[in-house]
Amino acid sequence: MPKKKQPTLRRANTNRTHSRTPQEDSKSARQQRTYTLADYRLEKPSFELRQVRVGDTVRYEVSGNLSGPAPPIRDSKYLRKQQCIEIYRWMLLNRKMEAALENLYKQGKVVGGVYFGLGQAACSCASAYALRPDEWLGPLIRNQGSLLVRGFSASDILMQYMAKAGSPTNGRDASSHFGDIQNRNVVAPISTLGDLIPVLAGVALGARLQGRNIAVMTYIGDGGQSTGVTYEGLNFAAVQNLGLVLFVENNLWGYSTPADMQFCVKDLAERAIAYGIPGIIVDGTDPCQVYDAAHEACQRARRGEGPTLIEAKMMRMKGHAIHDAAEYVPKALFEYWKKRDPIARFEDYLVRQKKWLTNQENEKLIGAVESELEVQREIAVASPMPAPESAAGGAYCETPCHEIRPKYAMPKCRIKKSLSLKQKETAVHLK
Ligand SMILES: Cc1ncc(C[n+]2csc(CCOP(=O)(O)OP(=O)(O)O)c2C)c(N)n1
Ligand SMILES: [Mg+2]
């Protein structure tokens, strides 16, 4: 039997003494990989945090350029005047509802802790605004603005925090662990950070099997993005070309750990390269940038082209939760981001720059949001606590209560045999 020819292994010449030929240079240039990350920001903050030990305690010091003026809002490529005003309104409601929540907590009416999204309203509201009603959202605990955009009322959120009988979980769960899979297509937040990612990828896969490519959106923090399940979920979405839109909310802190001590990459969007998907950077305090990136990612998702990772850079303007005074955050950092307040800057953009709202119209709009919130607050405060004997009931519903049916019924997908593997992955063929 003829001897099988062994493949020859070519070794790199480690003792090379001659310089590289032009042919070698061009070959190496061809092999070199370059990646680009779209960056929508009009300002690239540059400062560093340093941990300083003082006796048994540590504190953080910030250095860098913290005195520059706040950047302007970037004109949206897609939003029209009325849509900008609508997003501004959601952002106002988001903030005012959180202020009401803080007061209710101080009055002893809240059961458990309260988590705020102060400084993050543009990211929550403008991202959720990019989804269609039939698409899906999986918010995190700070994305209360996203819940409002998806159709929950402020009283739902206030009642949930007060554990009222009429709250979405009938008073059996505090904070934001609620969703609505029947009408609003909202998956309840999962506290185990990262777990929403494979769940939402699964929702997109389910829709694909029904013959539709849809956008599904969820969020992960700068801390949570280091979990294993984030990698697994996003990688799965990438290889299956699922329409996941993942916002990495880089608010510079994970509890009391600064972002500088959590990862070595310069921008978290760089991690997209490792999944083979687009990575985008936006200023998370600019609703137009957030919307544009979200809209483009949703369009990609709807075309069956797979997931997008969007890093939204901003700052958590309060402690981790209401019990945390955030004394570890250098005051200069709060001052810097206060000048970049998303609502004040968007208001300035709409009223003074674009002149899409007169001062009078703006005041009227703010007044209307305040009145709406006051009505919602009163409904929430006046509603009853659950009956003690109901304590052993289910958090979401009683069993048997209603039949939980699959949203889109059985798969309708037919894949043509003649398609290439890549085409088969994204193909949507209705019967
Ligand atoms: C898998 C997992 N590990 C740890 C925690 C505890 N934990 C809750 S919130 C939090 C910090 C999260 O920081 P980040 O992801 O940056 O979100 P942020 O609070 O800044 O919005 C941690 C560690 C958790 N909920 N899940
Ligand atoms: Mg964080």
PDB file of all heavy atoms in Angstrom, residues 192-221:
ATOM      1  N   THR A 192     -30.108  37.822  38.646  1.00  0.00           N
ATOM      2  CA  THR A 192     -28.833  37.163  38.372  1.00  0.00           C
ATOM      3  C   THR A 192     -28.294  37.774  37.078  1.00  0.00           C
ATOM      4  O   THR A 192     -28.804  37.513  35.993  1.00  0.00           O
ATOM      5  CB  THR A 192     -29.049  35.640  38.203  1.00  0.00           C
ATOM      6  OG1 THR A 192     -30.039  35.222  39.128  1.00  0.00           O
ATOM      7  CG2 THR A 192     -27.777  34.880  38.438  1.00  0.00           C
ATOM      8  N   LEU A 193     -27.280  38.609  37.242  1.00  0.00           N
ATOM      9  CA  LEU A 193     -26.891  39.483  36.135  1.00  0.00           C
ATOM     10  C   LEU A 193     -26.403  38.720  34.911  1.00  0.00           C
ATOM     11  O   LEU A 193     -25.540  37.854  35.019  1.00  0.00           O
ATOM     12  CB  LEU A 193     -25.821  40.465  36.603  1.00  0.00           C
ATOM     13  CG  LEU A 193     -26.288  41.408  37.720  1.00  0.00           C
ATOM     14  CD1 LEU A 193     -25.117  42.204  38.280  1.00  0.00           C
ATOM     15  CD2 LEU A 193     -27.387  42.329  37.223  1.00  0.00           C
ATOM     16  N   GLY A 194     -26.964  39.064  33.781  1.00  0.00           N
ATOM     17  CA  GLY A 194     -26.594  38.432  32.515  1.00  0.00           C
ATOM     18  C   GLY A 194     -27.639  37.438  32.043  1.00  0.00           C
ATOM     19  O   GLY A 194     -27.727  37.149  30.852  1.00  0.00           O
ATOM     20  N   ASP A 195     -28.452  36.916  32.957  1.00  0.00           N
ATOM     21  CA  ASP A 195     -29.388  35.851  32.578  1.00  0.00           C
ATOM     22  C   ASP A 195     -30.460  36.304  31.593  1.00  0.00           C
ATOM     23  O   ASP A 195     -31.045  35.482  30.882  1.00  0.00           O
ATOM     24  CB  ASP A 195     -30.056  35.245  33.819  1.00  0.00           C
ATOM     25  CG  ASP A 195     -29.173  34.189  34.469  1.00  0.00           C
ATOM     26  OD1 ASP A 195     -28.005  34.073  34.042  1.00  0.00           O
ATOM     27  OD2 ASP A 195     -29.626  33.503  35.398  1.00  0.00           O
ATOM     28  N   LEU A 196     -30.713  37.603  31.552  1.00  0.00           N
ATOM     29  CA  LEU A 196     -31.720  38.064  30.586  1.00  0.00           C
ATOM     30  C   LEU A 196     -31.238  37.876  29.143  1.00  0.00           C
ATOM     31  O   LEU A 196     -32.049  37.777  28.223  1.00  0.00           O
ATOM     32  CB  LEU A 196     -31.991  39.558  30.804  1.00  0.00           C
ATOM     33  CG  LEU A 196     -33.058  39.934  31.823  1.00  0.00           C
ATOM     34  CD1 LEU A 196     -33.083  41.441  32.009  1.00  0.00           C
ATOM     35  CD2 LEU A 196     -34.442  39.433  31.421  1.00  0.00           C
ATOM     36  N   ILE A 197     -29.924  37.831  28.968  1.00  0.00           N
ATOM     37  CA  ILE A 197     -29.385  37.799  27.594  1.00  0.00           C
ATOM     38  C   ILE A 197     -29.766  36.505  26.865  1.00  0.00           C
ATOM     39  O   ILE A 197     -30.367  36.570  25.787  1.00  0.00           O
ATOM     40  CB  ILE A 197     -27.867  38.088  27.606  1.00  0.00           C
ATOM     41  CG1 ILE A 197     -27.645  39.514  28.152  1.00  0.00           C
ATOM     42  CG2 ILE A 197     -27.249  37.929  26.219  1.00  0.00           C
ATOM     43  CD1 ILE A 197     -26.204  39.846  28.489  1.00  0.00           C
ATOM     44  N   PRO A 198     -29.477  35.310  27.432  1.00  0.00           N
ATOM     45  CA  PRO A 198     -29.940  34.106  26.724  1.00  0.00           C
ATOM     46  C   PRO A 198     -31.459  34.001  26.671  1.00  0.00           C
ATOM     47  O   PRO A 198     -32.001  33.439  25.714  1.00  0.00           O
ATOM     48  CB  PRO A 198     -29.341  32.947  27.536  1.00  0.00           C
ATOM     49  CG  PRO A 198     -28.934  33.532  28.842  1.00  0.00           C
ATOM     50  CD  PRO A 198     -28.633  34.975  28.596  1.00  0.00           C
ATOM     51  N   VAL A 199     -32.148  34.546  27.669  1.00  0.00           N
ATOM     52  CA  VAL A 199     -33.622  34.482  27.630  1.00  0.00           C
ATOM     53  C   VAL A 199     -34.130  35.279  26.423  1.00  0.00           C
ATOM     54  O   VAL A 199     -34.950  34.803  25.641  1.00  0.00           O
ATOM     55  CB  VAL A 199     -34.245  35.007  28.949  1.00  0.00           C
ATOM     56  CG1 VAL A 199     -35.753  35.159  28.813  1.00  0.00           C
ATOM     57  CG2 VAL A 199     -33.907  34.064  30.112  1.00  0.00           C
ATOM     58  N   LEU A 200     -33.602  36.480  26.255  1.00  0.00           N
ATOM     59  CA  LEU A 200     -34.052  37.308  25.123  1.00  0.00           C
ATOM     60  C   LEU A 200     -33.592  36.708  23.786  1.00  0.00           C
ATOM     61  O   LEU A 200     -34.323  36.758  22.800  1.00  0.00           O
ATOM     62  CB  LEU A 200     -33.543  38.749  25.280  1.00  0.00           C
ATOM     63  CG  LEU A 200     -34.467  39.732  26.015  1.00  0.00           C
ATOM     64  CD1 LEU A 200     -35.695  40.056  25.193  1.00  0.00           C
ATOM     65  CD2 LEU A 200     -34.911  39.254  27.387  1.00  0.00           C
ATOM     66  N   ALA A 201     -32.392  36.108  23.795  1.00  0.00           N
ATOM     67  CA  ALA A 201     -31.935  35.429  22.566  1.00  0.00           C
ATOM     68  C   ALA A 201     -32.927  34.316  22.235  1.00  0.00           C
ATOM     69  O   ALA A 201     -33.289  34.106  21.067  1.00  0.00           O
ATOM     70  CB  ALA A 201     -30.532  34.875  22.753  1.00  0.00           C
ATOM     71  N   GLY A 202     -33.406  33.634  23.265  1.00  0.00           N
ATOM     72  CA  GLY A 202     -34.394  32.563  23.067  1.00  0.00           C
ATOM     73  C   GLY A 202     -35.708  33.092  22.517  1.00  0.00           C
ATOM     74  O   GLY A 202     -36.355  32.438  21.693  1.00  0.00           O
ATOM     75  N   VAL A 203     -36.089  34.297  22.949  1.00  0.00           N
ATOM     76  CA  VAL A 203     -37.320  34.909  22.421  1.00  0.00           C
ATOM     77  C   VAL A 203     -37.148  35.162  20.916  1.00  0.00           C
ATOM     78  O   VAL A 203     -38.041  34.863  20.109  1.00  0.00           O
ATOM     79  CB  VAL A 203     -37.654  36.227  23.168  1.00  0.00           C
ATOM     80  CG1 VAL A 203     -38.806  36.959  22.482  1.00  0.00           C
ATOM     81  CG2 VAL A 203     -37.999  35.946  24.633  1.00  0.00           C
ATOM     82  N   ALA A 204     -35.960  35.677  20.555  1.00  0.00           N
ATOM     83  CA  ALA A 204     -35.716  35.946  19.122  1.00  0.00           C
ATOM     84  C   ALA A 204     -35.709  34.638  18.330  1.00  0.00           C
ATOM     85  O   ALA A 204     -36.213  34.579  17.204  1.00  0.00           O
ATOM     86  CB  ALA A 204     -34.386  36.678  18.950  1.00  0.00           C
ATOM     87  N   LEU A 205     -35.150  33.596  18.938  1.00  0.00           N
ATOM     88  CA  LEU A 205     -35.131  32.297  18.261  1.00  0.00           C
ATOM     89  C   LEU A 205     -36.557  31.779  18.089  1.00  0.00           C
ATOM     90  O   LEU A 205     -36.931  31.262  17.023  1.00  0.00           O
ATOM     91  CB  LEU A 205     -34.290  31.300  19.069  1.00  0.00           C
ATOM     92  CG  LEU A 205     -34.152  29.891  18.497  1.00  0.00           C
ATOM     93  CD1 LEU A 205     -33.493  29.909  17.127  1.00  0.00           C
ATOM     94  CD2 LEU A 205     -33.344  29.009  19.447  1.00  0.00           C
ATOM     95  N   GLY A 206     -37.373  31.965  19.136  1.00  0.00           N
ATOM     96  CA  GLY A 206     -38.780  31.542  19.060  1.00  0.00           C
ATOM     97  C   GLY A 206     -39.507  32.252  17.927  1.00  0.00           C
ATOM     98  O   GLY A 206     -40.237  31.630  17.150  1.00  0.00           O
ATOM     99  N   ALA A 207     -39.269  33.558  17.825  1.00  0.00           N
ATOM    100  CA  ALA A 207     -39.927  34.324  16.748  1.00  0.00           C
ATOM    101  C   ALA A 207     -39.430  33.842  15.389  1.00  0.00           C
ATOM    102  O   ALA A 207     -40.205  33.704  14.441  1.00  0.00           O
ATOM    103  CB  ALA A 207     -39.654  35.812  16.931  1.00  0.00           C
ATOM    104  N   ARG A 208     -38.121  33.554  15.295  1.00  0.00           N
ATOM    105  CA  ARG A 208     -37.559  33.045  14.038  1.00  0.00           C
ATOM    106  C   ARG A 208     -38.270  31.763  13.624  1.00  0.00           C
ATOM    107  O   ARG A 208     -38.616  31.549  12.457  1.00  0.00           O
ATOM    108  CB  ARG A 208     -36.056  32.817  14.240  1.00  0.00           C
ATOM    109  CG  ARG A 208     -35.355  31.888  13.276  1.00  0.00           C
ATOM    110  CD  ARG A 208     -34.799  32.559  12.026  1.00  0.00           C
ATOM    111  NE  ARG A 208     -34.023  33.740  12.277  1.00  0.00           N
ATOM    112  CZ  ARG A 208     -32.725  33.760  12.614  1.00  0.00           C
ATOM    113  NH1 ARG A 208     -32.069  32.649  12.742  1.00  0.00           N
ATOM    114  NH2 ARG A 208     -32.118  34.897  12.801  1.00  0.00           N
ATOM    115  N   LEU A 209     -38.508  30.888  14.611  1.00  0.00           N
ATOM    116  CA  LEU A 209     -39.175  29.627  14.296  1.00  0.00           C
ATOM    117  C   LEU A 209     -40.624  29.851  13.872  1.00  0.00           C
ATOM    118  O   LEU A 209     -41.239  29.005  13.250  1.00  0.00           O
ATOM    119  CB  LEU A 209     -39.112  28.673  15.499  1.00  0.00           C
ATOM    120  CG  LEU A 209     -37.707  28.161  15.848  1.00  0.00           C
ATOM    121  CD1 LEU A 209     -37.726  27.356  17.134  1.00  0.00           C
ATOM    122  CD2 LEU A 209     -37.141  27.322  14.707  1.00  0.00           C
ATOM    123  N   GLN A 210     -41.159  31.002  14.256  1.00  0.00           N
ATOM    124  CA  GLN A 210     -42.514  31.349  13.821  1.00  0.00           C
ATOM    125  C   GLN A 210     -42.508  32.018  12.457  1.00  0.00           C
ATOM    126  O   GLN A 210     -43.547  32.435  11.953  1.00  0.00           O
ATOM    127  CB  GLN A 210     -43.165  32.326  14.809  1.00  0.00           C
ATOM    128  CG  GLN A 210     -43.269  31.793  16.220  1.00  0.00           C
ATOM    129  CD  GLN A 210     -43.928  30.458  16.267  1.00  0.00           C
ATOM    130  OE1 GLN A 210     -44.973  30.286  15.652  1.00  0.00           O
ATOM    131  NE2 GLN A 210     -43.338  29.521  16.953  1.00  0.00           N
ATOM    132  N   GLY A 211     -41.328  32.217  11.909  1.00  0.00           N
ATOM    133  CA  GLY A 211     -41.260  32.810  10.572  1.00  0.00           C
ATOM    134  C   GLY A 211     -41.005  34.295  10.582  1.00  0.00           C
ATOM    135  O   GLY A 211     -41.228  34.973   9.583  1.00  0.00           O
ATOM    136  N   ARG A 212     -40.553  34.852  11.723  1.00  0.00           N
ATOM    137  CA  ARG A 212     -40.321  36.307  11.752  1.00  0.00           C
ATOM    138  C   ARG A 212     -38.968  36.601  12.376  1.00  0.00           C
ATOM    139  O   ARG A 212     -38.589  35.982  13.370  1.00  0.00           O
ATOM    140  CB  ARG A 212     -41.385  36.999  12.620  1.00  0.00           C
ATOM    141  CG  ARG A 212     -42.783  36.794  12.140  1.00  0.00           C
ATOM    142  CD  ARG A 212     -43.731  37.677  12.903  1.00  0.00           C
ATOM    143  NE  ARG A 212     -43.595  37.468  14.341  1.00  0.00           N
ATOM    144  CZ  ARG A 212     -43.838  38.405  15.240  1.00  0.00           C
ATOM    145  NH1 ARG A 212     -44.205  39.612  14.851  1.00  0.00           N
ATOM    146  NH2 ARG A 212     -43.721  38.155  16.521  1.00  0.00           N
ATOM    147  N   ASN A 213     -38.254  37.555  11.818  1.00  0.00           N
ATOM    148  CA  ASN A 213     -37.074  38.075  12.491  1.00  0.00           C
ATOM    149  C   ASN A 213     -37.501  39.344  13.211  1.00  0.00           C
ATOM    150  O   ASN A 213     -38.007  40.275  12.580  1.00  0.00           O
ATOM    151  CB  ASN A 213     -35.964  38.383  11.483  1.00  0.00           C
ATOM    152  CG  ASN A 213     -35.254  37.117  11.055  1.00  0.00           C
ATOM    153  OD1 ASN A 213     -34.890  36.288  11.879  1.00  0.00           O
ATOM    154  ND2 ASN A 213     -35.074  36.948   9.753  1.00  0.00           N
ATOM    155  N   ILE A 214     -37.318  39.366  14.531  1.00  0.00           N
ATOM    156  CA  ILE A 214     -37.708  40.550  15.310  1.00  0.00           C
ATOM    157  C   ILE A 214     -36.504  41.061  16.095  1.00  0.00           C
ATOM    158  O   ILE A 214     -35.510  40.366  16.249  1.00  0.00           O
ATOM    159  CB  ILE A 214     -38.861  40.258  16.301  1.00  0.00           C
ATOM    160  CG1 ILE A 214     -38.441  39.163  17.319  1.00  0.00           C
ATOM    161  CG2 ILE A 214     -40.134  39.893  15.572  1.00  0.00           C
ATOM    162  CD1 ILE A 214     -39.374  39.071  18.520  1.00  0.00           C
ATOM    163  N   ALA A 215     -36.649  42.289  16.585  1.00  0.00           N
ATOM    164  CA  ALA A 215     -35.632  42.828  17.486  1.00  0.00           C
ATOM    165  C   ALA A 215     -36.043  42.521  18.917  1.00  0.00           C
ATOM    166  O   ALA A 215     -37.219  42.651  19.274  1.00  0.00           O
ATOM    167  CB  ALA A 215     -35.500  44.333  17.280  1.00  0.00           C
ATOM    168  N   VAL A 216     -35.089  42.093  19.720  1.00  0.00           N
ATOM    169  CA  VAL A 216     -35.323  41.899  21.159  1.00  0.00           C
ATOM    170  C   VAL A 216     -34.227  42.684  21.868  1.00  0.00           C
ATOM    171  O   VAL A 216     -33.080  42.638  21.465  1.00  0.00           O
ATOM    172  CB  VAL A 216     -35.262  40.403  21.553  1.00  0.00           C
ATOM    173  CG1 VAL A 216     -36.376  39.623  20.894  1.00  0.00           C
ATOM    174  CG2 VAL A 216     -33.917  39.781  21.221  1.00  0.00           C
ATOM    175  N   MET A 217     -34.608  43.433  22.891  1.00  0.00           N
ATOM    176  CA  MET A 217     -33.629  44.337  23.508  1.00  0.00           C
ATOM    177  C   MET A 217     -33.476  44.026  24.992  1.00  0.00           C
ATOM    178  O   MET A 217     -34.448  43.786  25.696  1.00  0.00           O
ATOM    179  CB  MET A 217     -34.126  45.778  23.332  1.00  0.00           C
ATOM    180  CG  MET A 217     -33.175  46.825  23.871  1.00  0.00           C
ATOM    181  SD  MET A 217     -33.881  48.480  23.625  1.00  0.00           S
ATOM    182  CE  MET A 217     -33.721  48.682  21.868  1.00  0.00           C
ATOM    183  N   THR A 218     -32.235  44.047  25.436  1.00  0.00           N
ATOM    184  CA  THR A 218     -32.008  43.958  26.870  1.00  0.00           C
ATOM    185  C   THR A 218     -30.759  44.757  27.233  1.00  0.00           C
ATOM    186  O   THR A 218     -30.108  45.340  26.366  1.00  0.00           O
ATOM    187  CB  THR A 218     -31.962  42.491  27.359  1.00  0.00           C
ATOM    188  OG1 THR A 218     -31.953  42.492  28.798  1.00  0.00           O
ATOM    189  CG2 THR A 218     -30.749  41.746  26.863  1.00  0.00           C
ATOM    190  N   TYR A 219     -30.466  44.789  28.531  1.00  0.00           N
ATOM    191  CA  TYR A 219     -29.402  45.644  29.055  1.00  0.00           C
ATOM    192  C   TYR A 219     -28.505  44.823  29.971  1.00  0.00           C
ATOM    193  O   TYR A 219     -28.941  43.827  30.544  1.00  0.00           O
ATOM    194  CB  TYR A 219     -29.996  46.796  29.882  1.00  0.00           C
ATOM    195  CG  TYR A 219     -31.077  47.579  29.172  1.00  0.00           C
ATOM    196  CD1 TYR A 219     -32.401  47.120  29.157  1.00  0.00           C
ATOM    197  CD2 TYR A 219     -30.787  48.768  28.521  1.00  0.00           C
ATOM    198  CE1 TYR A 219     -33.400  47.834  28.510  1.00  0.00           C
ATOM    199  CE2 TYR A 219     -31.782  49.499  27.876  1.00  0.00           C
ATOM    200  CZ  TYR A 219     -33.088  49.030  27.874  1.00  0.00           C
ATOM    201  OH  TYR A 219     -34.077  49.734  27.240  1.00  0.00           O
ATOM    202  N   ILE A 220     -27.271  45.279  30.111  1.00  0.00           N
ATOM    203  CA  ILE A 220     -26.372  44.698  31.108  1.00  0.00           C
ATOM    204  C   ILE A 220     -25.429  45.820  31.564  1.00  0.00           C
ATOM    205  O   ILE A 220     -25.070  46.684  30.758  1.00  0.00           O
ATOM    206  CB  ILE A 220     -25.600  43.464  30.538  1.00  0.00           C
ATOM    207  CG1 ILE A 220     -24.833  42.722  31.626  1.00  0.00           C
ATOM    208  CG2 ILE A 220     -24.646  43.859  29.416  1.00  0.00           C
ATOM    209  CD1 ILE A 220     -25.679  41.946  32.586  1.00  0.00           C
ATOM    210  N   GLY A 221     -25.074  45.803  32.840  1.00  0.00           N
ATOM    211  CA  GLY A 221     -24.208  46.865  33.358  1.00  0.00           C
ATOM    212  C   GLY A 221     -22.740  46.603  33.076  1.00  0.00           C
ATOM    213  O   GLY A 221     -22.357  45.523  32.600  1.00  0.00           O
TER     214      GLY A 221
END
